Amino acid sequence: MSGHETHVVGERRWVDGVLGVVAWLVGALYFFPILWMLVNSFKTELEANGPPSIAFSPTAERYSEVVESSSGVLSFTEAFRNSGLVTVASTIVVLLLAIPAAYALTIYPVKKWRDVLFFFISTKFLPLVASVLPLWILARELNLLNTRLVLVILYTAMNLPLAVWMLRSFFQEVPKELIEAAEIDGASLLGQLRSVILPIALPGIAATALLCLIFAWNEYFFAVQLNAADGQTVPIWVAANVSTRGNFIAKLSAASVLASLPVVIAGWLAQKRMIRGLAMGAIK
Amino acid sequence: MATVTFNGATRFYPNTDRPAVAGLDLEIADGELLVLVGPSGSGKSTALRMLAGLEPLDGGQICIGDRDVSTVRPRDRDIAMVFQNYALYPNLTVAENMGFALKQQKVPKDVRREKVEEAAGILDLVPFLDRKPKNLSGGQRQRVAMGRAIVRSPQVFLMDEPLSNLDAKLRVQTRTELAELQERLGVTTVYVTHDQVEAMTMGHRVAVLKDGVLQQCDTPQNLYHHPQNEFVAGFIGSPAMNLVAITPDGAPALAGVELNLGTADVDQTEPITVGFRPESARIGSTGIPGVVRTVEDLGSEVFVHVVVEHQGASKPLVVKTKPPFEAKLGDQVHIDLDGPMHVFDAAGARTATTEAALR
């Protein structure tokens, strides 16, 4: 591209340039640890623990080690499967509960709908640490300790308020006349939801689902407190590598890369949808 | 097909003291096209939405046929509505949009398709049946919205300013088509508009609303020639009727020229308002003296805006005349009256109509 560059009226060129450089620097600063992790994951332990260098022959051995090893109670693949199951199951339950709730709050709001919304979000005010003891006792009494079910329940509870808030704002973008038209056309509540609202709000629902998936996938605190053994998830497995073994930086990097991969891939795939979803309020 | 009856129907919006629609009484005959017209905030759309069931009633009742539908859900009222912005389902094709209501009624697919194609034929939509609404022009979208309504063969059509999003030329054309279609289908129709030309040309009868109160419901001709009050007189007709308030000061006079109110029994101690339409006045050599302010030459007719001095203030009047008419800004002219003149009392009600003449 050459020729004329478009500038904001009144903006000075050198300010643009300086701001651009600063932005890139900050961006690089943020990205550096990830790059470091990525590079280390392809090194041998010796190289990874030695002075930092980019002159090395990349090897995928650490990855096969990670996939085959069982550092804690479970193997990495088992932990991976646990994570996937808990994440997907909790997200499905969240959507099943949050969609009708958000729909009701948008279309037929109760009188005190503001209070209801505030109540939802207020459940996130309490420090997690404060709730962990009662939760642990409850889980123990219900024989749910060290099961995947307890995490599905907790992650559902954790993501539900957020999902209701997000979905409500997306549903509000659906023109009211469309719902009225469907109502006059004889569609039942479920029919209106299924054939009018959901198709239109789909990008928003995708964005919500993705955030729930990411939050559930990354969750560490509940998992470590209530489910550190049989039902281990990936974050626990990765952390277990740190605490129980010596200096295995390269292997740990490989495990971390693998742990991040699903989130990165999901984010990549959903990027367009998600941005459209998150920007739904701004552009028509 | 059915009659529609509003029986003291009232609606208060939450947190308001004044009703949006106050004790509306209306009887709409089977097959009639009734237009609800009024300025914004007059309650015309609210009245329509009450009939649709989209607004609850706070008093009175609404009947479709013999059935009191006041508390019936919109989907059980057997009505079809055309929205101002059409409210087409963006994710469905034209055919799916039009067949949506039938699908909800569990009408078999082949019957549905037959009915959709029939309606599409009437509305020239056959080539577009597989398109999505976003790939249609404004006029086509409007027709799809119409199609969605007629496919159902409902008891009543409700139309909420269905032409206001079309450009002027298309609006006039669609206006005629819509009126013809309604005539042909014979479905009772309630049509909301703020455009009084639309109201006058389409309505079998026109109901004029103001501040939620029905002012007059009558044929377009009666509204024009026999307005019941000052508001209707001023609202119907374009340009508007010349309305001049006269404070009691001897015999009623307009800009110092005494009016001949004929047999009208006018209390000379009460303020009155007289009204005459632009076509009831003409520019002559005698009569009320005034100064030309603007001349609007529309080709087929000319509207001359004249400012007269009436009871110590400048009062603009409009006179309709035939072309050719030549006048310059500031020209001294005289206005003579030779059509009907309405007399309204202090409360705005019409008390008399006389053959206007200057004394």
Side-chain angles (χ1 to χ4, degrees), chain B residues 6-336:
Chain B
F6 285 81
N7 209 338
T10 302
R11 171 71 177 142
F12 283 87
Y13 280 116
N15 309 319
T16 52
D17 306 328
R18 203 175 58 76
V21 172
L24 180 62
D25 289 315
L26 262 184
E27 286 205 27
I28 305 161
D30 188 7
E32 184 177 12
L33 196 164
L34 180 107
V35 177
L36 292 174
V37 71
S40 41
S42 61
K44 54 190 191 300
S45 278
T46 307
L48 189 79
R49 291 172 60 82
M50 287 158 77
L51 174 55
L54 298 172
E55 293 291 340
L57 269 71
D58 294 311
Q61 59 167 193
I62 294 176
C63 298
I64 297 176
D66 297 329
R67 179 169 166 236
D68 181 356
V69 295
S70 309
T71 55
V72 174
R73 283 176 177 282
R75 58 174 179 260
D76 299 323
R77 290 192 184 195
D78 197 12
I79 48 169
M81 185 154 167
V82 178
F83 291 82
Q84 184 174 3
N85 60 7
Y86 316 138
L88 301 179
Y89 310 121
N91 51 309
L92 303 181
T93 64
V94 169
E96 287 166 340
N97 261 284
M98 287 167 67
F100 186 82
L102 298 180
K103 194 174 174 186
Q104 304 307 318
Q105 295 166 14
K106 309 258 190 303
V107 173
K109 205 170 179 181
D110 44 335
V111 180
R112 220 154 72 203
R113 193 187 170 135
E114 199 177 297
K115 289 199 168 183
V116 167
E117 280 175 359
E118 191 192 330
I122 296 173
L123 294 162
D124 291 331
L125 285 170
V126 177
F128 311 109
L129 282 175
D130 294 324
R131 287 208 200 166
K132 291 276 174 68
K134 67 172 180 210
N135 297 323
L136 297 176
S137 71
Q140 288 161 349
R141 281 179 208 182
Q142 203 281 331
R143 296 212 297 278
V144 176
M146 279 300 303
R148 195 168 63 179
I150 67 176
V151 159
R152 297 182 50 184
S153 337
Q155 302 255 34
V156 188
F157 283 145
L158 311 183
M159 304 200 184
D160 191 3
E161 310 215 13
L163 305 182
S164 60
N165 282 352
L166 300 180
D167 65 56
K169 198 173 174 186
L170 196 54
R171 197 180 317 154
V172 173
Q173 184 195 332
T174 314
R175 193 167 79 198
T176 321
E177 289 171 0
L178 222 156
E180 282 170 8
L181 187 65
Q182 195 274 338
E183 196 74 36
R184 189 163 130 198
L185 298 171
V187 176
T188 313
T189 303
V190 183
Y191 187 107
V192 164
T193 181
H194 64 268
D195 180 346
Q196 46 107 0
V197 177
E198 233 169 86
M200 297 291 281
T201 51
M202 295 183 73
H204 298 160
R205 282 189 306 153
V206 177
V208 183
L209 281 107
K210 181 201 174 205
D211 297 335
V213 180
L214 179 65
Q215 304 292 310
Q216 187 173 356
C217 178
D218 216 327
T219 60
Q221 292 69 36
N222 278 345
L223 283 182
Y224 192 83
H225 296 294
H226 307 287
Q228 251 161 37
N229 60 36
E230 205 181 317
F231 176 78
V232 175
F235 188 76
I236 299 289
S238 174
M241 183 184 283
N242 294 299
L243 291 165
V244 186
I246 299 175
T247 46
D249 182 18
L254 204 168
V257 180
E258 206 174 305
L259 295 169
N260 174 12
L261 296 179
T263 52
D265 181 19
V266 175
D267 184 348
Q268 295 199 358
T269 62
E270 286 285 318
I272 58 166
T273 298
V274 295
F276 56 95
R277 298 215 175 265
E279 62 266 31
S280 304
R282 58 192 157 76
I283 305 287
S285 49
T286 60
I288 308 154
V291 177
V292 173
R293 197 170 66 173
T294 22
V295 177
E296 293 175 336
D297 192 338
L298 303 183
S300 60
E301 56 204 10
V302 182
F303 295 108
V304 189
H305 295 249
V306 178
V307 178
V308 300
E309 281 300 315
H310 173 68
Q311 296 191 327
S314 293
K315 173 73 192 168
L317 297 174
V318 184
V319 176
K320 180 180 167 180
T321 177
K322 281 209 158 60
F325 179 84
E326 295 281 339
K328 289 193 307 290
L329 201 75
D331 276 1
Q332 296 281 342
V333 290
H334 287 85
I335 300 174
D336 200 1

Side-chain angles (χ1 to χ4, degrees), chain A residues 105 109-118 168 172:
Chain A
L105 278 169
V110 288
K111 258 199 184 127
K112 306 231 167 211
W113 62 271
R114 279 174 204 279
D115 296 349
V116 173
L117 274 183
F118 181 76
R168 183 178 162 274
Q172 273 184 319

